[in-house]
């Protein structure tokens, strides 16, 4: 197979001196020095300096930054006094024998240089340019490596990676749904999944006793620094025939080993992670996501903890409202979370005092994952639906799950750490958008594609929809 390049721009070293190489990349700088010039050529792997003789300098003229070129030449070892120690390829340079300009760049709307700041609005509008910055290349590379580690770890533990549907059913699950109208079934809608919660429980009924996926989740929520509106990714994990401690232990072991491998400069404050009851967290730290770092100025310190023994229900408030539930009680986690065995008797007369098998994973003051042991008794599930004020119609929305439970359901539970938020905290970023390739902005828009956007009347007519003006 013939490739346009023989090496990347971060690959060549002194040992390659004397060999011929072909590089492709973006012109980071083109520095003219009289009749000769020097190109710093960049790709995502690094930067290589290219010496351009008088003949080629005259032929190509001055190249605009970020133009894409192919360069052939001989690898030359630099004298010791000219070695560039700040570059991985600083021991060598390429003496160009051929330069092909593939595409010329227009004047740039932002500077890919790390030292020149651009507004977030401009960075997101021209994200494909912003992603050329070394920091963003590093962040996306670390994200890839972390996800690969997760996959390999869980594979060795006997988990199956199973994909669940993106087009599913709208059910009351705590946040607003994104709805997708059906062309074939006019007047009916799919919903994008807020999480694969019901599907993963059905997989437990199916006997897939160790399941995971890196799952896209869709929730119509407002933006925060630690929450990207619209969509996010979570490590969705579910197991059968387990107790709560089993879930905590495997999750803890996974993240300790991932950090040691992928983020070796980070230091975990305490291993094993502390277990703190919800009541203790509120009384001692005034928060259910306490920051336990010893030195909050140390960006490399990672203080994990588990919060357990949550109330099964919360009082509904404007600030903390579970969409779909009634006006009195909402689930503290979700309606499938099991009450603690010793508190089942409280459901009839004192539901507000019942504790649950919910568990939240907290890191440096951020909730980075949540899960629970699930209800597997249809009678208890029906009682929870009543207590959170579900109507008969709402209960029927979950009839498929209740029916499945009548055919033999194992005890099961799981957890769903948020990939984006977890990596944001580990990397010490202030915004979750720094670890996502193409994030939505604060108003839930995709600035690159200019979405959401209007569609044609032909499309809405085909779906049987009429758009109301406000």
């Amino acid at each position: 197979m013939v490739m346009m390049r023989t090496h990347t721009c971060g690959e060549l070293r002194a040992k390659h001196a004397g060999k011929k190489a072909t590089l492709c990349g973006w012109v980071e700088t083109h520095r003219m020095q009289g009749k000769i010039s020097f190109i710093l050529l960049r790709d995502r792997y690094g930067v290589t300096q290219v010496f351009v003789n008088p003949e080629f300098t005259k032929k190509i003229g001055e190249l605009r930054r970020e133009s894409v070129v192919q360069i052939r030449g001989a690898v030359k070892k630099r004298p010791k006094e000219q070695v560039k120690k700040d570059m991985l390829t600083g021991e060598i340079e390429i003496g160009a024998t051929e330069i092909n300009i593939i595409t010329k760049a227009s004047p740039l709307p932002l500077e890919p240089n790390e030292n020149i700041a651009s507004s977030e609005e401009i960075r997101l509008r021209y994200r494909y340019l912003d992603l050329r910055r070394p920091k963003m290349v590093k962040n996306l590379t670390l994200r890839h490596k972390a996800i690969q580690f997760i996959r390999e770890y869980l594979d060795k533990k006997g988990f199956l990676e199973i994909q669940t549907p993106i087009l599913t059913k709208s059910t009351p699950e705590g946040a607003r749904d994104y709805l997708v109208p059906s062309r074939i079934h006019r007047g009916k809608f799919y919903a994008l999944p807020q999480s694969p919660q019901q599907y993963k429980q059905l997989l437990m009924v199916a006997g897939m006793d160790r399941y995971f996926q890196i799952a896209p989740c869709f929730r119509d929520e407002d933006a925060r620094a630690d929450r990207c509106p619209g969509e996010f990714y979570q490590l969705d994990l579910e197991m059968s025939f387990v107790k709560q401690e089993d879930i905590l232990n495997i999750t803890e072991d996974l993240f300790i080993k991932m950090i040691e491998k992928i983020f070796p400069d980070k230091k975990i404050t305490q291993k094993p992670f502390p277990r703190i009851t919800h009541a203790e967290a509120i009384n001692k730290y005034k928060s259910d996501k306490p920051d336990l770092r010893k030195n909050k100025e140390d960006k490399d310190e990672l203080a994990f903890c588990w919060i357990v023994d949550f109330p099964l229900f919360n009082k509904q408030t404007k600030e903390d409202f579970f969409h779909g539930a009634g006006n009195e009680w909402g689930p503290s986690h979700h309606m499938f979370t099991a009450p603690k065995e010793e508190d089942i008797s409280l459901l009839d007369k004192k539901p507000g005092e019942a504790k649950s098998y919910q568990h939240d994973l907290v890191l440096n003051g951020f909730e980075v994952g949540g899960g629970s042991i699930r209800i597997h008794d249809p009678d208890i599930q029906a009682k929870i639906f009543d207590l959170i004020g579900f109507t008969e119609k709402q209960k029927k929305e979950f009839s498929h799950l209740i029916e499945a439970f009548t055919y033999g359901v194992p005890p099961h539970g799981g957890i769903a750490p948020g990939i984006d938020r977890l990596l944001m905290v580990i990397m010490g970023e202030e915004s979750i958008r720094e670890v996502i390739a193409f994030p939505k902005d604060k108003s839930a828009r995709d600035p690159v594609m200019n979405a959401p956007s209007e569609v044609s009347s032909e499309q809405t007519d085909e779906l049987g929809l009429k758009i109301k003006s406000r």
Side-chain angles (χ1 to χ4, degrees):
M1 181 171 62
V2 178
M3 299 290 288
M4 288 187 69
R5 61 185 179 185
T6 60
H7 299 82
T8 70
C9 294
E11 186 177 350
L12 297 170
R13 302 290 188 271
K15 66 181 180 180
H16 297 103
K19 294 185 177 181
K20 293 181 179 180
T22 303
L23 304 181
C24 292
W26 287 260
V27 176
E28 185 160 289
T29 63
H30 185 196
R31 180 165 45 95
M32 311 293 285
Q33 287 191 352
K35 294 184 178 181
I36 63 170
S37 60
F38 295 88
I39 295 172
L40 284 181
L41 194 66
R42 186 198 71 246
D43 60 15
R44 75 176 174 93
Y45 305 96
V47 179
T48 298
Q49 179 166 293
V50 179
F51 170 75
V52 186
N53 63 33
E55 177 188 353
F56 282 120
T57 298
K58 182 178 179 180
K59 180 180 178 182
I60 64 176
E62 188 170 355
L63 289 174
R64 193 185 295 275
R65 289 180 306 125
E66 300 303 311
S67 295
V68 177
V69 299
Q70 179 192 56
I71 293 176
R72 291 189 173 92
V75 182
K76 297 181 179 180
K77 189 174 181 180
R78 292 174 179 271
K80 283 187 179 180
E81 64 274 12
Q82 294 183 15
V83 169
K84 294 193 173 184
K85 295 182 180 179
D86 60 336
M87 291 172 57
L88 293 174
T89 59
E91 298 175 302
I92 60 94
E93 70 177 13
I94 300 290
T97 59
E98 183 180 339
I99 300 177
N100 298 310
I101 302 172
I102 298 173
T103 55
K104 293 182 179 180
S106 300
L108 301 174
L110 63 75
E111 289 288 344
N113 190 311
E114 294 280 21
N115 299 317
I116 301 175
S118 297
S119 69
E120 184 176 73
E121 180 183 358
I122 293 296
R123 289 183 58 206
L124 296 183
R125 167 67 180 84
Y126 298 99
R127 189 61 159 184
Y128 44 86
L129 297 179
D130 188 56
L131 291 178
R132 295 179 187 177
R133 295 189 302 126
K135 173 191 168 183
M136 294 306 301
V137 173
K138 178 183 177 183
N139 284 1
L140 292 186
T141 301
L142 288 171
R143 180 186 176 110
H144 160 77
K145 290 182 176 179
I147 290 174
Q148 282 299 105
F149 184 94
I150 290 169
R151 283 194 161 105
E152 292 169 6
Y153 175 96
L154 293 174
D155 177 64
K156 291 175 183 175
K157 295 290 185 181
F159 284 78
L160 296 180
E161 183 173 9
I162 302 174
Q163 287 71 43
T164 53
I166 298 298
L167 293 175
T168 183
K169 182 180 183 179
S170 178
T171 54
E173 292 188 37
R176 295 180 181 88
D177 283 327
Y178 279 101
L179 300 177
V180 181
S182 170
R183 176 184 61 84
I184 298 172
H185 306 282
R186 276 200 172 196
K188 295 185 178 181
F189 293 79
Y190 298 104
L192 303 182
Q194 294 187 28
S195 80
Q197 182 64 45
Q198 295 178 65
Y199 285 113
K200 66 185 175 188
Q201 291 193 247
L202 291 171
L203 285 171
M204 297 302 104
V205 178
M208 307 298 168
D209 64 323
R210 289 195 163 200
Y211 140 91
F212 86 98
Q213 69 171 313
I214 307 299
C217 302
F218 306 89
R219 297 177 188 174
D220 188 356
E221 298 175 311
D222 295 332
R224 296 192 312 227
D226 66 341
R227 182 173 70 197
C228 197
E231 59 188 291
F232 62 92
Y233 281 83
Q234 68 185 30
L235 163 60
D236 207 49
L237 182 153
E238 198 81 4
M239 297 186 287
S240 295
F241 307 113
V242 290
K243 298 292 187 181
Q244 186 176 53
E245 192 68 16
D246 299 311
I247 300 168
L248 271 54
N249 286 341
I250 196 166
T251 307
E252 190 168 311
D253 186 60
L254 164 60
F255 288 139
I256 288 173
K257 288 178 178 173
M258 183 195 78
I259 289 165
E260 290 173 347
K261 175 71 173 178
I262 310 300
F263 305 95
D265 293 335
K266 302 293 179 176
K267 303 294 184 293
I268 297 175
T269 304
Q270 186 175 338
K271 294 181 282 189
F273 303 162
R275 267 74 159 165
I276 303 172
T277 67
H278 181 266
E280 180 187 356
I282 297 300
N283 291 334
K284 185 174 180 180
Y285 302 104
K286 311 303 179 188
S287 172
D288 60 4
K289 41 183 183 290
D291 188 345
L292 301 184
R293 284 177 291 175
K294 295 177 180 177
N295 178 4
K296 293 179 174 57
E297 304 302 317
D298 183 357
K299 287 193 173 183
D300 290 332
E301 183 181 2
L302 300 177
F304 286 93
C305 68
W306 290 105
I307 307 299
V308 295
D309 291 351
F310 278 80
L312 184 60
F313 304 108
N314 285 332
K315 283 283 189 182
Q316 291 276 56
T317 65
K318 288 184 179 180
E319 295 75 25
D320 184 15
F321 193 83
F322 192 97
H323 288 275
N327 292 322
E328 184 177 7
W329 295 111
S332 176
H333 185 220
H334 54 54
M335 69 285 288
F336 308 115
T337 297
K340 301 203 81 168
E341 291 177 20
E342 60 269 27
D343 289 353
I344 291 175
S345 60
L346 295 173
L347 297 179
D348 290 324
K349 294 184 178 179
K350 299 179 180 178
E353 296 181 15
K355 299 292 190 294
S356 75
Y357 285 113
Q358 177 184 349
H359 40 260
D360 277 8
L361 181 60
V362 174
L363 172 59
N364 292 5
F366 292 86
E367 180 212 326
V368 294
S372 66
I373 293 295
R374 321 301 188 188
I375 298 168
H376 64 275
D377 183 329
D379 292 335
I380 293 178
Q381 187 66 76
K383 185 178 288 290
I384 298 298
F385 286 166
D386 286 336
L387 285 167
I388 62 175
F390 270 8
T391 64
E392 291 303 314
K393 183 179 179 181
Q394 285 176 308
K395 293 176 189 177
K396 289 180 181 178
E397 299 292 342
F398 297 98
S399 60
H400 53 279
L401 188 67
I402 301 301
E403 181 184 15
F405 280 11
T406 67
Y407 299 126
V409 54
H412 58 284
I415 190 169
I419 296 291
D420 313 300
R421 187 182 296 171
L422 175 69
L423 293 178
M424 179 197 80
V425 182
I426 291 176
M427 293 182 196
E429 295 289 358
E430 293 184 1
S431 169
I432 200 169
R433 290 178 281 278
E434 297 301 300
V435 299
I436 300 172
F438 294 100
K440 304 292 185 291
D441 66 15
K442 294 176 183 177
S443 62
R445 290 179 58 255
D446 179 342
V448 175
M449 304 290 285
N450 194 26
S453 61
E454 294 180 354
V455 297
S456 69
S457 58
E458 288 81 7
Q459 288 173 286
T460 54
D461 288 346
E462 194 172 34
L463 294 168
L465 298 177
K466 186 175 181 179
I467 307 299
K468 282 186 176 181
S469 58
R470 291 203 173 202

